[in-house]
Amino acid sequence: MGWMTRFLSAVVFLAIGVLFAPETFGSKSDGQHPPKLATFLKLAHLLCFSTAFGAALWVTFIGGIIMFKNLPRHQFGNLQSKMFPAYFSMVGVCCAVSVGSFGYLHPWKTASASEKYQLGFILAAFAFNLSNLFVFTPMTIQMMKERHKIEREANIGEEVGWTKNQEVAKVNPKLSAMNKKFGMIHGLSSLANIFSFGCLAMHSWYLARKLDL
């Protein structure tokens, strides 16, 4: 994921530059832009936002639940440890592009209150994703590996569901303590992901009001 981190960093710095100094990139304070440029930026914003929103919806409420209910726990955990860094990186890039394009089209100095709120929602979604990518996900993966080791020693982990883990944890203090640590960090990660999805959902309502079908 090294190349993805570098790419994300480049996109982030570009988005920050567009956000705080849009005039440097040719943005007009009066909001008037060449039609082709405006259309391109709107398309970039729409595609990146919809990608982020759709991915968050699928991973949070559909894909993850289906995998958990059908895969052996260790296999599920190992898959998640590979999928989530890519997921948060992709959503982070999409949010950064959305922030940059929206900030370019609606410079902060002349943006309406509604537009400033929307920029805040996208920025918040971006921040929650970065917190997951660089803080919570690495911690969760590390704790998951440690718990897998403890579970293998107890000859569990290849079953579907949490039943055996909970049974063994009642008589295994080490596993019980690890479950609590993992649950806390995983809970914070899930909470950040839910908040990010909520912010994207708020922006989807704003975009829906702008559509003329």
Side-chain angles (χ1 to χ4, degrees):
M1 296 300 293
W3 68 270
M4 178 60 76
T5 301
R6 291 191 290 271
F7 177 70
L8 177 59
S9 300
V11 174
V12 168
F13 281 114
L14 179 60
I16 292 174
V18 173
L19 180 62
F20 290 101
E23 63 280 355
T24 304
F25 297 87
S27 178
K28 306 295 184 181
S29 59
D30 58 3
Q32 299 298 318
H33 303 287
K36 289 185 178 180
L37 176 61
T39 300
F40 173 79
L41 290 173
K42 290 178 182 178
L43 178 62
H45 179 78
L46 184 60
L47 289 178
C48 287
F49 165 77
S50 59
T51 298
F53 185 74
L57 177 65
W58 173 262
V59 170
T60 305
F61 299 107
I62 303 174
I65 295 175
I66 292 174
M67 287 187 289
F68 177 74
K69 289 185 176 181
N70 291 276
L71 291 176
R73 279 194 306 104
H74 284 186
Q75 185 177 341
F76 167 75
N78 291 330
L79 177 60
Q80 294 286 75
S81 71
K82 302 298 182 182
M83 185 180 73
F84 270 100
Y87 160 65
F88 289 125
S89 295
M90 182 191 71
V91 174
V93 168
C94 288
C95 286
V97 173
S98 294
V99 166
S101 56
F102 195 86
Y104 189 92
L105 291 168
H106 306 285
W108 184 265
K109 293 180 181 179
T110 57
S112 65
S114 176
E115 291 164 349
K116 290 180 179 179
Y117 275 122
Q118 295 308 313
L119 191 56
F121 283 131
I122 309 172
L123 275 171
F126 179 53
F128 284 127
N129 268 281
L130 287 186
S131 69
N132 251 324
L133 178 62
F134 294 113
V135 181
F136 297 130
T137 295
M139 294 174 66
T140 301
I141 292 174
Q142 181 60 36
M143 289 188 179
M144 179 203 72
K145 291 179 179 179
E146 293 177 7
R147 188 170 70 166
H148 281 188
K149 182 179 179 180
I150 297 173
E151 289 179 327
R152 282 193 294 270
E153 293 173 354
N155 295 317
I156 62 173
E158 297 306 319
E159 71 286 347
V160 177
W162 287 106
T163 304
K164 286 189 177 180
N165 174 282
Q166 294 173 343
E167 291 176 354
V168 174
K170 293 178 181 179
V171 295
N172 188 326
K174 190 176 181 181
L175 179 58
S176 178
M178 182 55 67
N179 281 347
K180 291 180 181 179
K181 291 180 181 179
F182 178 83
M184 181 182 68
I185 298 301
H186 185 266
L188 291 173
S189 176
S190 298
L191 192 62
N193 188 50
I194 289 293
F195 282 156
S196 174
F197 178 79
C199 291
L200 293 174
M202 293 297 293
H203 189 59
S204 71
W205 183 261
Y206 168 84
L207 291 179
R209 292 175 59 192
K210 295 291 184 179
L211 289 177
D212 185 12
L213 299 177

